[in-house]
Amino acid sequence: MPVILEVEHVTTYRYAKEVEFGLHRVAFHPRAAHDIRVLYADLTVSPHSRQHWIHDVFSNSVMVVEPLVPASTLVFTARFAIEHMGVKNHELPISPEAQNYPFEYSADDKQNLSRYLALQYPDDAAVVRSWVASFLPQRGTIHTRDVLANINQFIRTDFVYAARDAMGTQSPAQTLALRSGTCRDFALLMMEAVRGLGMAARFVSGYIYDPALDADNFGPGAVVGSSIKSADIGGGTLGSGATHAWLNVYLPGAGWIPFDPTNTISGGTDLIRVAFTRTPEQAAPVSGGWTGDASDFLGMDVSVRVSRRLPDAAGISAPG
């Protein structure tokens, strides 16, 4: 059944005095397709700015923003609503030649997928391969979906989710050594594991809906922890209240399939994609520069709210 989801994402940069800003690129617009329909999408910027849309190298919708006056704060407020029809991953048929692992892509697929087959961290390949070996049979074949489901599940149950405000992503070897990380760390680890098995994977950034954070369900005294072992919280949603990251794996016949190793999600209506990229670094929601002393920068605040609208609200329009 389709659901209506609304997102508000506010990013605020603070400075000790007025500074001048260069061009900024803002990626917040959801990627529409047969499973997601965009009802509205709006971006407001303070201070006053010029804005125009482009498609980046991955065909993501990106707003180019040129602030026109100096200011001591720079605020991006993105709001959008989507109708999510859902991803029915397990009902999508895989081509016969790819149903069991190992398999090989066709020559055309290999050429088209080449940038998503190459390892980003080749120096970590040996340790990642050793870790993945526990998911594979000693001999014979295994269902391709089972390989991916095993990796997805193991990260969810045996790794600690630790929220981290700092920019950047841990290397796969770091995540394996620490047995902890953020959603983007887990997505990168699974991407490198999948690519090491000869399957194409791409990074996905966006948002995740968590019913527990809806205003009507958020009870008094609730506490959101920042370091949680996934297995300890049952069906709780990790990575909500911020931007979220997961990956797609390309399976012949079924196409690009989502896997969220932070929450063991591989379909449904809770993942709201914004951008597809080859690496996590290419998926920054906001990027740009400013002119001033390094000490002028006081910090950045990010607020994300994802909520579900009732079916009778399907005719919603952008806020006035």
Side-chain angles (χ1 to χ4, degrees):
M1 178 180 177
V3 301
I4 306 295
L5 298 173
E6 289 185 294
V7 175
E8 180 183 75
H9 181 171
V10 183
T11 304
T12 303
Y13 295 91
R14 295 177 287 104
Y15 303 87
K17 62 184 180 183
E18 289 189 346
V19 298
E20 295 185 351
F21 302 102
L23 291 177
H24 281 66
R25 294 162 62 93
V26 184
F28 79 94
H29 196 286
R31 289 196 62 138
H34 58 277
D35 57 333
I36 288 181
R37 181 167 69 97
V38 180
L39 303 179
Y40 71 78
D42 177 71
L43 176 68
T44 58
V45 181
S46 177
H48 181 60
S49 65
R50 293 194 188 99
Q51 304 174 10
H52 66 270
W53 288 101
I54 65 168
H55 284 110
D56 70 4
V57 69
F58 303 104
S59 292
N60 302 308
S61 292
V62 175
M63 178 76 83
V64 179
V65 176
E66 181 185 3
L68 296 177
V69 296
S72 58
T73 60
L74 177 62
V75 184
F76 300 93
T77 302
R79 298 184 181 92
F80 67 78
I82 64 163
E83 182 181 20
H84 203 320
M85 272 63 78
V87 178
K88 299 180 179 179
N89 179 5
H90 300 289
E91 298 176 15
L92 298 174
I94 300 175
S95 297
E97 70 275 10
Q99 289 179 0
N100 293 324
Y101 182 82
F103 71 89
E104 286 195 14
Y105 292 115
S106 68
D108 278 348
D109 280 350
K110 283 183 180 178
Q111 183 173 1
N112 294 333
L113 297 169
S114 59
R115 61 183 177 179
Y116 301 110
L117 286 164
L119 294 175
Q120 185 180 352
Y121 288 87
D123 291 344
D124 290 2
V127 66
V128 174
R129 185 165 51 247
S130 176
W131 174 68
V132 172
S134 62
F135 308 123
L136 301 175
Q138 295 298 312
R139 58 179 61 87
T141 61
I142 181 174
H143 290 301
T144 302
R145 269 201 173 97
D146 288 344
V147 175
L148 298 170
N150 289 346
I151 299 173
N152 205 37
Q153 178 67 43
F154 190 85
I155 294 175
R156 169 74 157 110
T157 57
D158 205 52
F159 285 62
V160 172
Y161 176 82
R164 187 176 68 249
D165 292 332
M167 299 293 290
T169 309
Q170 293 173 176
S171 71
Q174 286 176 307
T175 301
L176 286 171
L178 295 170
R179 278 301 198 269
S180 70
T182 65
C183 57
R184 60 186 183 271
D185 300 325
F186 296 157
L188 176 60
L189 172 60
M190 185 167 176
M191 280 173 54
E192 289 293 278
V194 167
R195 289 172 176 175
L197 294 174
M199 289 183 271
R202 64 187 182 187
F203 189 83
V204 188
S205 65
Y207 306 92
I208 187 169
Y209 168 66
D210 180 3
L213 295 185
D214 268 350
D216 291 342
N217 298 324
F218 197 78
V223 176
V224 180
S226 62
S227 182
I228 309 169
K229 186 166 183 179
S230 303
D232 294 339
I233 65 168
T237 302
L238 297 174
S240 55
T243 54
H244 192 54
W246 59 99
L247 68 147
N248 284 170
V249 180
Y250 188 81
L251 299 179
W256 288 106
I257 301 298
F259 289 92
D260 176 11
T262 304
N263 294 290
T264 325
I265 295 175
S266 58
T269 59
D270 291 343
L271 297 174
I272 308 167
R273 62 178 178 267
V274 167
F276 301 134
T277 59
R278 181 174 53 84
T279 70
E281 293 76 16
Q282 296 166 322
V286 181
S287 60
W290 56 279
T291 301
D293 296 330
S295 59
D296 291 339
F297 182 63
L298 300 180
M300 176 184 72
D301 301 311
V302 177
S303 171
V304 173
R305 180 182 61 84
V306 182
S307 57
R308 181 170 175 171
R309 293 292 295 264
L310 298 175
D312 61 3
I316 59 177
S317 58

